[in-house]
Amino acid sequence: MVNPEKSHDWKAYEKPAVTVDMVIFAIQNNELKVLLVKRAVEPAKGSWNLPGGFVRIEESLEEAAKRVLHDKTGVENIYLEQLYTFGDPKRDSRGRVITVSYFALVNFDDVSLKSSADVSAVEFFPVKKVPPLAFDHLQILTYALKRLKWKFEYTPVAFSLLNKKFTLSELQNLYEIVFDKVFDKRNFVKKILSLDILKTEEVKKDVSHRPPMLYSLKKQIPEIIEII
Amino acid sequence: MVNPEKSHDWKAYEKPAVTVDMVIFAIQNNELKVLLVKRAVEPAKGSWNLPGGFVRIEESLEEAAKRVLHDKTGVENIYLEQLYTFGDPKRDSRGRVITVSYFALVNFDDVSLKSSADVSAVEFFPVKKVPPLAFDHLQILTYALKRLKWKFEYTPVAFSLLNKKFTLSELQNLYEIVFDKVFDKRNFVKKILSLDILKTEEVKKDVSHRPPMLYSLKKQIPEIIEII
DNA sequence: TGAATAGTGTCTTTCAGACAATATGCC
DNA sequence: GGCATATTGTCTGAAAGACACTATTCA
């Protein structure tokens, strides 16, 4: 076998294909959901998997991730973060495919799902009820869920899933969905407000009960901050 | 341009090269050091960079990382973790090269540095005094340092850098090197022992002062645990 | 005035952090 | 006894967590 480093002839060396796979989370009906696509082509035709695509030769990994995200959901400018790179030589039956996984948080109301030639369905599934996934995509999803919880605990990503102005109940509700447990309202509010990252807006209108205060994020927020 | 997903002819599509780059940390002379190699070949001939190599078509990413690590340092079975994947199209002047970075913690005493045809020098540098690095390797190193500190704070990785039996002073010394600050001895010991992850071994022999107690890690240790 | 949700305060316990004196072994 | 390093405890302040009642709007 040729050693590419020694021969300096690295271009002649066989290269793996590189893809991005997206774990796209959203909240709907008080549930945490993840976007899946049904494959219309081989391999694993007919099975569900994470949306993804090949990285083009002239685009960066993040550009590829944004392209896939936009193609499937129509959303832009959302929270996007690289997760992990999976490169087992046998993970794809077509040959050597290395995938760089990303996770994204989208506001469900902003999404308009779009299909394409290679998929027969695009759908959000509750993370507790995902169908069997092709390739190693369950492993990727599991990894993303772990990262999601960590991010909620230590960074202000949760606000990416809310509208610009939100109530403290909406925020608490979001944390309760992600961590799948209830928090004490008094302690939750005390903690959040003590972080000094929120400012009050106006009072919410058109609710059939005591109207809550609307809050928004302050301009300068630390990237790492213990939330819960 | 051909769309590989639609054409199903993805093998004809131009593929990027994939490398692994290693950030290998060790402690020597009470300093945190990182392993660098001096390039003997173009591009960037004569400049320092992180050790790395192309991922072979039949090996996993982690196998590639272990191979590079072993080739340069001779060590095996050490702490190894994937860091991040860098894929800017212009990061390497030779063409499209995506690199999966790894970080490793090695015990300096176990290392025997080895050169190879493509490098003219292999050397540990104090992280505070690294020479200019080729490509985006400074960015990778910066990222690795951030991860290293996080790992020290929240996981028991520090013990990978110590002998199996160690004194609490050695452990504290390690933390002081990594965080570049001093900790109060009483508070440090109180905190570490309260974690209930250490067990006492025998008293250390052959020291010319009061002999310290040796400790070792218990068998079952949580992966995430707030240390400091 | 009842239904629905918003908003708020106290107590206890735990933990981080500041701080220095005594113990042990070797020479 | 002197040197070098090991070992140990108390106090204070901050924050987490348990816990329940009052306020506001609308129908």
Side-chain angles (χ1 to χ4, degrees):
Chain A
M1 176 181 290
V2 181
N3 179 321
E5 287 100 312
K6 282 182 183 159
S7 72
H8 305 170
D9 188 18
W10 64 284
K11 289 202 173 181
Y13 217 57
E14 191 182 355
K15 296 173 187 170
V18 179
T19 60
V20 290
D21 281 315
M22 305 292 302
V23 185
I24 302 168
F25 290 116
I27 303 286
Q28 187 202 16
N29 293 338
N30 274 354
E31 279 187 305
L32 179 65
K33 301 197 173 184
V34 61
L35 190 68
L36 300 178
V37 298
K38 193 169 195 170
R39 294 181 63 83
V41 296
E42 295 294 348
K45 183 174 176 176
S47 71
W48 291 94
N49 60 201
L50 298 170
F54 289 92
V55 176
R56 295 180 183 164
I57 201 70
E58 81 292 347
E59 72 184 351
S60 71
L61 299 172
E62 191 166 316
E63 283 163 0
K66 285 180 178 168
R67 174 173 54 79
V68 171
L69 181 72
H70 183 258
D71 287 353
K72 295 287 185 267
T73 66
V75 301
E76 293 182 76
N77 293 323
I78 47 75
Y79 184 81
L80 183 70
E81 170 182 318
Q82 188 183 302
L83 262 185
Y84 196 81
T85 300
F86 295 85
D88 188 278
K90 299 199 183 344
R91 59 175 293 282
D92 190 317
S93 59
R94 290 171 290 189
R96 186 69 195 275
V97 181
I98 291 170
T99 194
V100 184
S101 58
Y102 277 80
F103 102 90
L105 299 176
V106 303
N107 188 320
F108 190 84
D109 299 331
D110 296 340
V111 173
S112 62
L113 295 178
K114 287 168 186 141
S115 197
S116 52
D118 54 334
V119 301
S120 59
V122 185
E123 198 177 323
F124 273 103
F125 283 83
V127 293
K128 289 180 166 185
K129 295 171 194 164
V130 291
L133 299 179
F135 310 115
D136 51 1
H137 286 191
L138 179 60
Q139 189 188 356
I140 298 176
L141 174 58
T142 303
Y143 193 89
L145 277 168
K146 215 188 277 184
R147 179 80 66 97
L148 176 71
K149 288 183 184 177
W150 189 88
K151 283 280 167 175
F152 263 68
E153 199 162 350
Y154 295 108
T155 80
V157 283
F159 303 99
S160 316
L161 282 169
L162 296 172
N163 295 319
K164 192 163 181 178
K165 297 178 183 179
F166 51 86
T167 69
L168 294 181
S169 291
E170 286 165 352
L171 182 63
Q172 180 171 348
N173 191 243
L174 185 51
Y175 270 88
E176 292 182 341
I177 291 168
V178 169
F179 287 101
D180 197 20
K181 70 176 192 183
V182 296
F183 294 96
D184 181 87
K185 209 195 312 186
R186 290 157 295 188
N187 292 338
F188 186 86
V189 169
K190 196 195 332 178
K191 185 68 205 293
I192 296 292
L193 293 181
S194 75
L195 297 176
D196 195 34
I197 59 175
L198 300 186
K199 60 177 191 285
T200 57
E201 299 283 340
E202 73 278 7
V203 168
K204 193 170 181 178
K205 300 281 186 194
D206 301 320
V207 288
S208 70
H209 51 76
R210 175 172 176 176
M213 179 67 75
L214 288 168
Y215 289 83
S216 66
L217 259 191
K218 286 187 179 178
K219 298 275 183 227
Q220 297 294 334
I221 304 297
E223 276 180 39
I224 303 281
I225 178 172
E226 200 166 316
I227 309 245
I228 293 294
Chain B
M1 175 182 292
V2 182
N3 179 321
E5 288 102 310
K6 282 182 183 161
S7 71
H8 305 169
D9 188 19
W10 64 283
K11 288 202 173 181
Y13 218 56
E14 191 181 356
K15 296 172 186 171
V18 178
T19 59
V20 290
D21 281 315
M22 305 292 304
V23 185
I24 302 168
F25 290 116
I27 303 286
Q28 187 202 16
N29 293 336
N30 274 354
E31 278 186 307
L32 179 64
K33 302 198 171 182
V34 60
L35 189 69
L36 300 176
V37 299
K38 193 169 196 170
R39 295 181 61 84
V41 297
E42 293 297 348
K45 183 174 175 175
S47 71
W48 291 94
N49 60 205
L50 298 170
F54 289 93
V55 176
R56 296 183 182 162
I57 201 69
E58 82 292 345
E59 72 183 352
S60 71
L61 299 172
E62 190 166 316
E63 283 163 0
K66 284 180 178 168
R67 175 173 53 79
V68 170
L69 180 73
H70 184 257
D71 286 354
K72 294 288 185 267
T73 66
V75 300
E76 292 182 75
N77 292 322
I78 46 76
Y79 185 81
L80 183 70
E81 170 181 318
Q82 188 184 301
L83 261 184
Y84 197 81
T85 299
F86 296 85
D88 189 278
K90 298 200 182 347
R91 59 175 294 282
D92 190 317
S93 59
R94 288 171 292 188
R96 186 68 194 276
V97 181
I98 291 170
T99 193
V100 183
S101 58
Y102 277 80
F103 102 89
L105 299 176
V106 302
N107 188 319
F108 190 84
D109 298 331
D110 297 340
V111 174
S112 63
L113 295 178
K114 287 168 186 142
S115 197
S116 53
D118 54 334
V119 301
S120 60
V122 185
E123 198 177 321
F124 273 103
F125 284 82
V127 293
K128 290 180 165 182
K129 294 172 194 163
V130 293
L133 298 180
F135 311 113
D136 52 1
H137 285 193
L138 180 60
Q139 190 188 357
I140 298 176
L141 174 59
T142 303
Y143 192 89
L145 276 168
K146 214 187 276 185
R147 179 80 67 96
L148 176 70
K149 287 183 184 176
W150 189 87
K151 283 279 167 176
F152 263 68
E153 200 161 350
Y154 295 109
T155 79
V157 281
F159 302 98
S160 317
L161 282 168
L162 296 172
N163 296 320
K164 191 163 181 178
K165 295 178 184 178
F166 51 86
T167 69
L168 294 180
S169 290
E170 286 165 353
L171 181 63
Q172 179 170 350
N173 191 244
L174 186 51
Y175 271 90
E176 292 182 341
I177 291 167
V178 169
F179 289 99
D180 197 20
K181 70 176 192 184
V182 296
F183 294 95
D184 180 88
K185 211 191 313 184
R186 288 158 295 188
N187 293 337
F188 185 86
V189 169
K190 195 192 338 177
K191 185 69 204 297
I192 296 291
L193 293 182
S194 76
L195 298 176
D196 195 33
I197 59 174
L198 300 186
K199 60 177 191 285
T200 56
E201 300 282 340
E202 73 278 7
V203 168
K204 193 170 181 178
K205 299 283 186 193
D206 302 319
V207 287
S208 70
H209 52 76
R210 175 172 176 176
M213 179 67 74
L214 288 167
Y215 289 83
S216 66
L217 259 191
K218 286 187 179 179
K219 296 276 182 226
Q220 296 295 333
I221 304 296
E223 276 179 38
I224 304 282
I225 180 171
E226 200 166 316
I227 309 246
I228 292 296

